[in-house]
C-alpha cells in the first residue's frame, strides 16, 4: 500500500474541503494527493488529522486554525476530504 | 539524492573545517529568522551563492576571544522534502553540516505558533549534532496572552530554549552569550528520545512522518503552551483579509499599491540617476582634462568610465524596488498580492508565484530571474523565466523616452499614451508567450496554489535596508562585470580603425571645410563611428533591417544594443552628429532624429525594443539558471523573431496611416 492509498480511504459523512461552509471547524480526514503535494501540505502544517476552518472562498480558499493561515487552490481543496467537527 | 530531487548538481558546502564554529540559522519562512540574524551580525554579513546554484546564503565571520565564528542564514523551509531550490539548498547544507562537530544549529520559531514549527524542529534535531530552539516574537506572544513554559519545553525537547524578540532586542544577550561559548564548555547533546524517530507513528497513518509529528507536537504544546484559541494577531489579520483579498476591493487595493510602488520607483530613482550620470560625465571630463589626449585617455573615459556609469545608473531603481518590495513583503501584503494574482496568472499558464518576479522585471530582468527560485515546479519556473525579459525593464526607458518625444514633440499627452502602450505591449506579449509555451513546448498546468499568509505586521526598516543592500550588490557583481566588459568591447569596435583624414570621401572633406568650429568635433565623431568596425557592421547589416525602415545608423544602434540596450541612445546620439552629450538630452537627440527620420520608423524602432532580448547578461543568466544554453538561445531567437515581425507590421501599418 502506498502513501496515496492509505489516505484515500473515504468514510461516510465526509465532504470535500471545497464544500465546507465558512466558519465551520473540520478535521482533514483523507488527502488522496500525489505524495510530493501531500508532503508539502503536511510540512506547511496541514497533515491528515489537523483541524481547519475556511474563512474565505473565492478562486482560492483561505484556511485557518489557531496557528496558521494558508491559501489553497480550490481544485486542490476539492480533492481533500474533511470531517465536520462543530458548527461555529 | 539532492541533485535528483531538485536539480542542484554538485551542490556542496563551501566550508573548510577550521578551529572555528559555524552557527547556522534555520526555520520556517516568516518567523523573523533573518531579523534575528541581522540583529546578531549586522552589516558584517554578505550574500554569496551556494556553490553550484544561484540560491543565496548569507554568511558573516566574527572573532570572539580567539574563537572564529561563522554565522550562516539559510533560506527558510517548511519541511524536509525540499520543494523549491531554496529549500533544497537549506537541506543540503544541513545534511553536510551534520557531519561537522563544530556546527551549532539555531532553530527559530514564532513563539505564538509553536506547534507547526515543532515538527520541523524535531526533524532537524535528528539531523544535526547540536541545536538550540529560539522562540522569537515573545513580545507579541505576551501581548496576545500566549503563556509559554520554556523550561518545560527545554526538558521535553532536551535542547536549550531561548525566548526573545529580535525586533525589540529583548532576551538577545542571553542567546549571544550562549552562542559565543566555546563548544567544549557546554554539555554534550543528549541521546535522542525514542519519540523523535521518524519511523514511530501515532497518527493512524503508518507511513507518514508528519501526522505522527503533528500529534506529538500537539501533545507537547498542550503541556507547554497556555493558549489554544486564535490569538489577537490572527483575528486582526483575518479582519484585514476580508477586505484585502476581496474579489473587488482587494483588486482595487492591489491596483493602488502597485501604482504607488511604480510611482515611487520612477520618481525616487530619478534624482540619484541624474546624479550618477552627472558624476560620471564629470569624472570622464576631469580625466580627459588631465590625461594626454590619445588612445589610453579614450579607453578610460569612453570605455571604462562610460561602462561603469552605464551599470551604476540602474542601481537606484533596483535598490529602491527591492527596498519597497522587502517592506511590502515584511507587512505580509505580498503574499496576498500573490494570492490575488494567482487567479489571473493561471489563465495564461503562469503560477501565482511568478507575480513578484514579474514586478521586479520592470526594474531589471536579472534580479527577477534570480527571484524565480521560490517557484518549486520546474515547468512553472521555466515559463516564468522565458517571459520575464519581455517586461519593460529600466534600460528600455531611455529608448521609449527618446522615440516618443521624437514622434510627438508637441503633444506630451500622446507621447505619454504611446509610452504606456509600450509598457502594456510588453505585459501582453509576456502573457501571450506564456500561453503559447503552455500549449506547445512546456505543456501542463501551473502547480496548485499552496501559500502561507503570514500575519500582517509593521515592517522592519533595517531588514529591508539589508535586503536592498544585498540585491544591489548582487546586481553589481553579476550584471556589472558583464555590462562593463561589453562597454569596453563596444568602445573598441567603435574606435577602430582610427579615422585618417585621407580616408574621408571628398564630399565629407568639402563639408568639413565649410562647417564652423562647434560642428567640427561632432562631425568627426560621426565619421569615425561610420567607418569603424561597428559602423561597417551597421552598413553591412542594414539590408536586413531595411523592411523595418531602419537606416544604417539605427542598424548600428540596434546591433550595439544587442549587447546591452542602454547603449542605443548614446550610439544614436553620436551617429546623428551630436557628440555623446546627446544622451543627457534625449529630447535634443529626438529633435535631430526627427529631421532625418519619419514617425513610422520611430514606432517600428519602439516596438522592436519592447520585444527584442537585447541584453547579453540576461542570456548568460538564463543559461545558468535553466542549466541549458538551448533554452537561453531559443529565448533569444524567438524574442528577436517576434520583435522583427511586430516591428515590420507596425512600420507597414504606420506607412499606410501616414499616407491616409
Amino acid at each position: 500500500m502506498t502513501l496515496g492509498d492509505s489516505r484515500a480511504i473515504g468514510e461516510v459523512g465526509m465532504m470535500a474541503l471545497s464544500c465546507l461552509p465558512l466558519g465551520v471547524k473540520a478535521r482533514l480526514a483523507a488527502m488522496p494527493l500525489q505524495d510530493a503535494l501531500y508532503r508539502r501540505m503536511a510540512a506547511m502544517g496541514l497533515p491528515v488529522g489537523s483541524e481547519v476552518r475556511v474563512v474565505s472562498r473565492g478562486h482560492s480558499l483561505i484556511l485557518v486554525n489557531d496557528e496558521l493561515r494558508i491559501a489553497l487552490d480550490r481544485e486542490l481543496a476539492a480533492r481533500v476530504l474533511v470531517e465536520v467537527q462543530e458548527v461555529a | 539524492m539532492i541533485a535528483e530531487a531538485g536539480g542542484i548538481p554538485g551542490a556542496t558546502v563551501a566550508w573548510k573545517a577550521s578551529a572555528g564554529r559555524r552557527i547556522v540559522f534555520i526555520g520556517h519562512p516568516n518567523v523573523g529568522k533573518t531579523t534575528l540574524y541581522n540583529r546578531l551580525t549586522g552589516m558584517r554579513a554578505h550574500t554569496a551563492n551556494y556553490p553550484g546554484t544561484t540560491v543565496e546564503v548569507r554568511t558573516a565571520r566574527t572573532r570572539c576571544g580567539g574563537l572564529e565564528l561563522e554565522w550562516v542564514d539559510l533560506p527558510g523551509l517548511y519541511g524536509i522534502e525540499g520543494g523549491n531550490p531554496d529549500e533544497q539548498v537549506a537541506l543540503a547544507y544541513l545534511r553536510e553540516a551534520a557531519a561537522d562537530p563544530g556546527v551549532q544549529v539555531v532553530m527559530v520559531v514564532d513563539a505564538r505558533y509553536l506547534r507547526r514549527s515543532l515538527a520541523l524542529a524535531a526533524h532537524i534535531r535528528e539531523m544535526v549534532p547540536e541545536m538550540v530552539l529560539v522562540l522569537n516574537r515573545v513580545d507579541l506572544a505576551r501581548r496576545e496572552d500566549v503563556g509559554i513554559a520554556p523550561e518545560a519545553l527545554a526538558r521535553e525537547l532536551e535542547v536549550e530554549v531561548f525566548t526573545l524578540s529580535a525586533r525589540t532586542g529583548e532576551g538577545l544577550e542571553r542567546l549571544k552569550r550562549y552562542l559565543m561559548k566555546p563548544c567544549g564548555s557546554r554539555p554534550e547533546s543528549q541521546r535522542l528520545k525514542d519519540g523523535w524517530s521518524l519511523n514511530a507513528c501515532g497518527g493512524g497513518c503508518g507511513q507518514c512522518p508528519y501526522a505522527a509529528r503533528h500529534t506529538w507536537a500537539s501533545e507537547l504544546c498542550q503541556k507547554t503552551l497556555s493558549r489554544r484559541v486564535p490569538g489577537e494577531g490572527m483575528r486582526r489579520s483575518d479582519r484585514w483579509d476580508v477586505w484585502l483579498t476581496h474579489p473587488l476591493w482587494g483588486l482595487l487595493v492591489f491596483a493602488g499599491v502597485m501604482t504607488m510602488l511604480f510611482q515611487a520607483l520612477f520618481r525616487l530613482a530619478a534624482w540619484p540617476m541624474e546624479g550618477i550620470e552627472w558624476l560620471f560625465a564629470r569624472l570622464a571630463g576631469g580625466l580627459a582634462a588631465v590625461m594626454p589626449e590619445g588612445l589610453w585617455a579614450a579607453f578610460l573615459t569612453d570605455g571604462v568610465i562610460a561602462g561603469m556609469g552605464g551599470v551604476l545608473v540602474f542601481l537606484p531603481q533596483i535598490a529602491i524596488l527591492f527596498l519597497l518590495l522587502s517592506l511590502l513583503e515584511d507587512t505580509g501584503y505580498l503574499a496576498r498580492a500573490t494570492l490575488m494574482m494567482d487567479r489571473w496568472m493561471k489563465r495564461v499558464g503562469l503560477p501565482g508565484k511568478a507575480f513578484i518576479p514579474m514586478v521586479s522585471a520592470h526594474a531589471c530582468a536579472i534580479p527577477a530571474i534570480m527571484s524565480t527560485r521560490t517557484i518549486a515546479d520546474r515547468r512553472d519556473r521555466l515559463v516564468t523565466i522565458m517571459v520575464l525579459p519581455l517586461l519593460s525593464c529600466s534600460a528600455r526607458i531611455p529608448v521609449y523616452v527618446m522615440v516618443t518625444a521624437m514622434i510627438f514633440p508637441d503633444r506630451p499627452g500622446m507621447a505619454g499614451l504611446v509610452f504606456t502602450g509600450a509598457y502594456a505591449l510588453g505585459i501582453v506579449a509576456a502573457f501571450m508567450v506564456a500561453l503559447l509555451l503552455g500549449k506547445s513546448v512546456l505543456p501542463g498546468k501551473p502547480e496548485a496554489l499552496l501559500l502561507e499568509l503570514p500575519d500582517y505586521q509593521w515592517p522592519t526598516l533595517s531588514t529591508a535596508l539589508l535586503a536592498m543592500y544585498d540585491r544591489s550588490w548582487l546586481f553589481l557583481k553579476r550584471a556589472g562585470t558583464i555590462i562593463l566588459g561589453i562597454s569596453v568591447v563596444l568602445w573598441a569596435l567603435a574606435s577602430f580603425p582610427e579615422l585618417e583624414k585621407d580616408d574621408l570621401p571628398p564630399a565629407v572633406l568639402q563639408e568639413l571645410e565649410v562647417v564652423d568650429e562647434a560642428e567640427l568635433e561632432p562631425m568627426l565623431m560621426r565619421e569615425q563611428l561610420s567607418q569603424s568596425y561597428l559602423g561597417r557592421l551597421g552598413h553591412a547589416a542594414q539590408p536586413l533591417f531595411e523592411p523595418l525602415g531602419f537606416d544604417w545608423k539605427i542598424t548600428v544602434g540596434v546591433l550595439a544594443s544587442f549587447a546591452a540596450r542602454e547603449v542605443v541612445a548614446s550610439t544614436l546620439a553620436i551617429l546623428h552628429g551630436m557628440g555623446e552629450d546627446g544622451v543627457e538630452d534625449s529630447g535634443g537627440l529626438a529633435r535631430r532624429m526627427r529631421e532625418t527620420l519619419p514617425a513610422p520608423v520611430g514606432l517600428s524602432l519602439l516596438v522592436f525594443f519592447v520585444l527584442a532580448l537585447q541584453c547579453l547578461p540576461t542570456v548568460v543568466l538564463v543559461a545558468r539558471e535553466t542549466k541549458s544554453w538551448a533554452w537561453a538561445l531559443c529565448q533569444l531567437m524567438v524574442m528577436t523573431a517576434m520583435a522583427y515581425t511586430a516591428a515590420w507590421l507596425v512600420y507597414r501599418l504606420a506607412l499606410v496611416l501616414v499616407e491616409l
Side-chain angles (χ1 to χ4, degrees):
Chain A
M1 192 160 82
T2 69
L3 265 174
D5 296 332
S6 70
R7 292 190 300 271
I9 305 160
E11 283 171 34
V12 183
M14 290 186 188
M15 64 164 80
L17 176 57
S18 52
C19 301
L20 186 68
L22 294 185
V24 174
K25 199 190 266 183
R27 198 180 68 88
L28 302 187
M31 302 167 78
L33 311 168
Q34 295 132 350
D35 262 14
L37 192 55
Y38 171 71
R39 282 169 186 270
R40 186 140 192 89
M41 283 186 72
M44 286 179 86
L46 293 174
V48 168
S50 41
E51 283 180 358
V52 292
R53 282 181 301 125
V54 177
V55 291
S56 153
R57 192 167 43 207
H59 179 72
S60 307
L61 276 73
I62 298 181
L63 305 180
V64 300
N65 64 24
D66 54 355
E67 295 226 324
L68 52 83
R69 183 185 304 102
I70 283 177
L72 188 70
D73 201 271
R74 196 202 268 264
E75 272 178 47
L76 190 58
R79 281 148 61 196
V80 172
L81 291 177
V82 295
E83 208 172 21
V84 176
Q85 300 291 98
E86 61 180 68
V87 178
Chain B
M1 177 70 180
I2 295 298
E4 282 167 27
I8 307 184
T12 50
V13 177
W15 165 262
K16 291 173 189 69
S18 73
R21 318 224 336 255
R22 250 187 304 174
I23 302 168
V24 179
F25 288 73
I26 190 90
H28 272 183
N30 313 313
V31 294
K33 172 175 65 68
T34 298
T35 309
L36 174 64
Y37 178 85
N38 289 340
R39 204 73 205 212
L40 290 166
T41 59
M43 291 297 282
R44 280 170 299 210
H46 70 276
T47 304
N49 277 2
Y50 187 72
T53 72
T54 47
V55 173
E56 291 134 22
V57 175
R58 278 173 74 77
T59 54
R61 275 172 198 275
T62 60
R63 289 195 75 83
C64 173
L67 185 71
E68 194 177 310
L69 298 171
E70 179 168 308
W71 308 72
V72 182
D73 184 21
L74 291 180
L77 81 170
Y78 283 109
I80 54 160
E81 304 297 334
N84 61 36
D86 265 356
E87 290 193 309
Q88 289 157 18
V89 159
L91 280 171
Y93 196 103
L94 276 180
R95 288 206 174 103
E96 294 230 14
D100 181 350
V103 166
Q104 168 74 65
V105 171
V106 180
M107 166 92 194
V108 186
V109 306
D110 190 323
R112 297 168 300 166
Y113 311 133
L114 188 58
R115 190 186 61 220
R116 69 200 188 102
S117 294
L118 279 179
L120 180 63
H123 291 312
I124 290 171
R125 178 80 176 85
E126 279 180 338
M127 283 166 71
V128 299
E130 272 206 57
M131 185 183 101
V132 297
L133 190 68
V134 168
L135 308 182
N136 188 20
R137 294 185 180 150
V138 73
D139 54 330
L140 296 178
R142 209 166 26 237
R143 201 188 306 161
E144 291 174 23
D145 221 12
V146 180
I148 309 161
E151 299 81 13
L153 204 56
R155 227 176 12 253
E156 286 288 331
L157 290 172
E158 296 179 343
V159 294
E160 286 284 334
V161 176
F162 296 85
T163 53
L164 55 81
S165 166
R167 195 182 277 262
T168 64
E170 176 190 342
L172 215 59
E173 271 309 307
R174 199 183 138 232
L175 175 67
K176 227 186 215 167
R177 274 202 308 275
Y178 181 85
L179 292 178
M180 287 181 180
K181 269 189 221 167
C183 267
S185 67
R186 287 177 300 165
E188 286 280 302
S189 43
Q190 294 174 15
R191 189 182 55 82
L192 295 174
K193 278 187 175 175
D194 292 341
W196 290 93
S197 163
L198 268 176
N199 300 322
C201 183
C205 155
Q207 291 161 59
C208 156
Y210 289 106
R213 283 280 149 83
H214 192 69
T215 313
W216 164 82
S218 296
E219 282 166 5
L220 186 54
C221 281
Q222 264 162 18
K223 284 188 241 171
T224 52
L225 275 184
S226 67
R227 165 192 59 79
R228 306 278 0 113
V229 289
E232 179 53 32
M234 287 289 262
R235 282 201 298 273
R236 198 175 43 233
S237 294
D238 288 346
R239 281 198 297 272
W240 279 91
D241 272 340
V242 171
W243 297 101
L244 294 182
T245 63
H246 188 274
L248 177 64
W249 307 122
L251 267 184
L252 286 177
V253 171
F254 170 80
V257 169
M258 286 300 122
T259 310
M260 267 167 21
L261 180 76
F262 280 102
Q263 283 288 330
L265 179 63
F266 291 123
R267 278 165 201 265
L268 292 179
W271 302 314
M273 284 171 87
E274 275 169 28
I276 288 168
E277 278 175 356
W278 177 84
L279 189 75
F280 275 85
R282 287 296 292 263
L283 205 63
L287 202 66
V290 295
M291 279 184 78
E293 208 172 306
L295 204 58
W296 263 109
F299 170 72
L300 284 178
T301 54
D302 299 341
V304 178
I305 292 182
M308 272 161 58
V311 175
L312 284 176
V313 78
F314 296 109
L315 200 58
Q317 281 200 342
I318 287 171
I320 290 170
L321 178 77
F322 282 101
L323 176 73
L324 296 176
L325 275 183
S326 173
L327 286 172
L328 266 184
E329 184 176 17
D330 220 9
T331 61
Y333 183 72
L334 269 196
R336 274 74 180 184
T338 303
L339 168 67
M340 299 285 298
M341 282 301 101
D342 183 71
R343 171 179 192 179
W344 305 101
M345 312 260 293
K346 263 208 185 109
R347 295 193 174 180
V348 294
L350 283 165
K353 283 183 181 164
F355 167 69
I356 295 167
M358 286 177 92
V359 171
S360 312
H362 283 94
C364 177
I366 287 168
I369 290 169
M370 292 195 291
S371 66
T372 57
R373 60 173 206 269
T374 54
I375 302 171
D377 187 69
R378 183 166 162 82
R379 178 216 164 259
D380 291 359
R381 191 155 177 254
L382 262 175
V383 177
T384 311
I385 289 176
M386 287 299 120
V387 304
L388 283 178
L390 281 164
L391 300 163
S392 293
C393 66
S394 51
R396 283 166 168 122
I397 293 168
V399 187
Y400 293 1
V401 170
M402 188 182 82
V403 175
T404 49
M406 181 186 99
I407 309 172
F408 303 105
D410 313 313
R411 294 159 71 188
M414 271 306 277
L417 205 64
V418 171
F419 192 93
T420 316
Y423 261 84
L425 177 63
I427 296 170
V428 170
F431 284 144
M432 274 172 55
V433 168
L435 201 63
L436 288 175
L437 281 173
K439 298 221 181 293
S440 55
V441 281
L442 288 169
K445 278 203 311 190
E447 209 174 48
L449 180 78
L450 184 61
L451 180 74
E452 185 191 356
L453 304 175
D455 281 345
Y456 289 106
Q457 60 169 9
W458 284 106
T460 324
L461 187 62
S462 60
T463 305
L465 284 172
L466 278 169
M468 173 181 97
Y469 166 79
D470 266 3
R471 289 279 139 194
S472 308
W473 183 238
L474 277 170
F475 168 77
L476 280 187
K477 265 203 312 203
R478 225 150 283 145
T481 44
I482 302 177
I483 296 178
L484 181 61
I486 289 166
S487 300
V488 171
V489 170
L490 271 181
W491 168 82
L493 282 176
S495 305
F496 296 103
E498 278 184 280
L499 182 70
E500 301 289 338
K501 223 170 178 182
D502 305 340
D503 297 344
L504 287 175
V508 177
L509 278 174
Q510 268 179 3
E511 209 182 324
L512 281 177
E513 276 164 23
V514 294
V515 296
D516 54 49
E517 198 69 12
E519 295 255 321
L520 192 64
E521 176 126 353
M523 262 195 91
L524 282 174
M525 279 176 79
R526 188 184 67 198
E527 288 309 318
Q528 160 65 35
L529 192 50
S530 167
Q531 58 82 55
S532 69
Y533 293 122
L534 195 63
R536 291 174 198 187
L537 211 61
H539 283 293
Q542 196 267 335
L544 201 65
F545 290 96
E546 176 78 53
L548 311 188
F550 297 178
D551 62 7
W552 75 268
K553 294 173 188 175
I554 300 182
T555 306
V556 170
V558 167
L559 288 179
S561 65
F562 261 99
R565 284 180 191 99
E566 51 275 19
V567 301
V568 72
S570 61
T571 313
L572 283 177
I574 293 170
L575 285 171
H576 284 84
M578 302 188 53
E580 282 172 276
D581 296 343
V583 190
E584 281 155 38
D585 175 18
S586 29
L589 174 61
R591 270 193 300 282
R592 184 67 66 103
M593 282 182 72
R594 200 162 51 243
E595 291 162 14
T596 49
L597 288 177
V601 181
L603 280 174
S604 157
L605 183 66
L606 185 72
V607 168
F608 190 84
F609 266 83
V610 172
L611 298 175
L613 178 51
Q614 296 157 298
C615 179
L616 207 55
T618 300
V619 180
V620 175
L621 185 73
V622 168
R624 267 180 43 188
E625 287 282 327
T626 58
K627 296 184 186 67
S628 142
W629 275 98
W631 278 113
L633 293 176
C634 207
Q635 181 181 35
L636 177 65
M637 283 190 295
V638 168
M639 280 180 68
T640 308
M642 253 170 67
Y644 192 93
T645 316
W648 178 78
L649 276 174
V650 165
Y651 180 58
R652 289 282 137 198
L653 202 69
L655 279 183
V656 171
L657 287 177
V658 165
E659 274 174 30
L660 286 177

